[in-house]
Amino acid sequence: MKEALETLKQWVRESKRIVFFGGAGVSTESGIPDFRGVDGLYRQKYAYPPETILSHDFFVRRTEEFYRFYRDKMLITDALPNAAHKKLAQWEQEGKLSAVVTQNIDGLHQAAGSKKVYELHGCILRNYCMDCGKFYDAQYIKESAGVPKCSCGGVIKPDVVLYQESLDQDCIMGAIHAIANADLLIIGGTSLSVYPAASFIDDYRGDRMVLVNKTATPRDDRADLILRDPIGQVFAQLP
């Protein structure tokens, strides 16, 4: 790792348009579990796999069951930014980082101070009435029982992209433009198996693509530099 880390340090120092593309592994180091890691407790409490529960059809047909899972596994509001979140915010403030592109929905990049964040899958901090569009924060959802309702009587939906739903086009275009124009693309904490998000890295035109992930990914052969250590540990050592 030492040689790869030194190379990454040098690239960071030389870069002026860093873009970070991150996934669940960035947030797990803040104590937010990856819902794909189905544990024993999950098996006891839910009759459906998480991908089914977090689908548009399931939300429409079994809204109360959706919210039972959502409050239990997804609506985590007490997590704090870790070293990776903080370093990215620092780079942005220094004018070295162009954007963060994240698959996470926890809002931790903004909590650390990042401003230019493309949230491909939405965010738990935003919730809207499906009838009138009124905004509700995460605390309202957390404290409500059953299916949260708006003052107008409509069902409130989290501003997160469920399976079977399309990503926001403006968010996609912004993320792709940032990636295409980066002089250093750092990909961290993601298996690069969730599409279409994972395909966005194909728009990178540079020759400094760094992959920081504890396990192998289908795009390892595309990377110019690979580090297999926890992302927080790596970022804590960067300038």
Side-chain angles (χ1 to χ4, degrees):
M1 172 193 173
K2 187 174 181 180
E3 184 178 344
L5 181 61
E6 290 305 314
T7 298
L8 178 54
K9 286 180 179 179
Q10 179 181 342
W11 287 0
V12 168
R13 293 189 190 99
E14 296 171 350
S15 299
K16 297 179 180 178
R17 297 186 310 278
I18 301 172
V19 170
F20 177 78
F21 181 97
V26 180
S27 293
T28 54
E29 293 190 36
S30 288
I32 297 179
D34 182 351
F35 72 83
R36 288 182 181 81
V38 179
D39 54 27
L41 178 62
Y42 171 88
R43 293 180 184 278
Q44 295 171 22
K45 295 177 67 175
Y46 302 100
Y48 304 90
E51 288 83 357
T52 297
I53 297 175
L54 294 174
S55 68
H56 177 81
D57 284 349
F58 196 92
F59 176 82
V60 172
R61 292 185 292 104
R62 298 175 177 271
T63 312
E64 187 166 356
E65 180 69 6
F66 167 89
Y67 268 110
R68 189 165 76 92
F69 175 85
Y70 181 77
R71 289 189 185 96
D72 187 27
K73 293 288 186 178
M74 312 296 290
L75 194 57
I76 300 173
T77 58
D78 56 355
L80 298 174
N82 59 52
H85 298 108
K86 294 175 182 177
K87 183 60 66 174
L88 292 167
Q90 173 197 316
W91 289 346
E92 184 180 33
Q93 291 163 7
E94 294 172 349
K96 295 177 66 66
L97 182 132
S98 301
V100 169
V101 180
T102 181
Q103 301 171 82
N104 297 333
I105 61 174
D106 47 55
L108 288 179
H109 286 292
Q110 291 91 330
S114 291
K115 306 297 183 186
K116 196 67 171 180
V117 182
Y118 293 103
E119 296 174 309
L120 298 178
H121 298 148
C123 183
I124 63 169
L125 304 181
R126 301 185 299 268
N127 306 272
Y128 298 94
C129 173
M130 297 177 71
D131 288 347
C132 73
K134 183 177 179 181
F135 170 85
Y136 289 88
D137 62 17
Q139 200 61 32
Y140 182 87
I141 304 300
K142 199 167 189 176
E143 294 174 356
S144 62
V147 178
K149 295 290 185 69
C150 175
S151 56
C152 78
V155 173
I156 298 171
K157 181 182 181 296
D159 187 20
V160 298
V161 179
L162 303 177
Y163 290 99
Q164 303 168 335
E165 294 180 345
S166 300
L167 305 188
D168 179 82
Q169 286 302 307
D170 289 339
C171 184
I172 290 175
M173 296 307 295
I176 290 176
H177 181 267
I179 290 171
N181 290 280
D183 59 3
L184 171 61
L185 176 62
I186 304 177
I187 302 165
T190 173
S191 62
L192 292 174
S193 60
V194 177
Y195 284 81
S199 66
F200 296 167
I201 68 171
D202 293 336
D203 288 276
Y204 179 58
R205 299 192 290 254
D207 56 3
R208 290 184 170 183
M209 179 185 287
V210 181
L211 187 56
V212 184
N213 202 57
K214 291 189 286 188
T215 58
T217 80
R219 301 300 187 89
D220 281 9
D221 59 347
R222 175 82 167 80
D224 301 294
L225 188 67
I226 297 176
L227 292 89
R228 290 282 183 237
D229 297 276
I231 191 164
Q233 177 182 324
V234 171
F235 270 69
Q237 301 177 69
L238 297 178

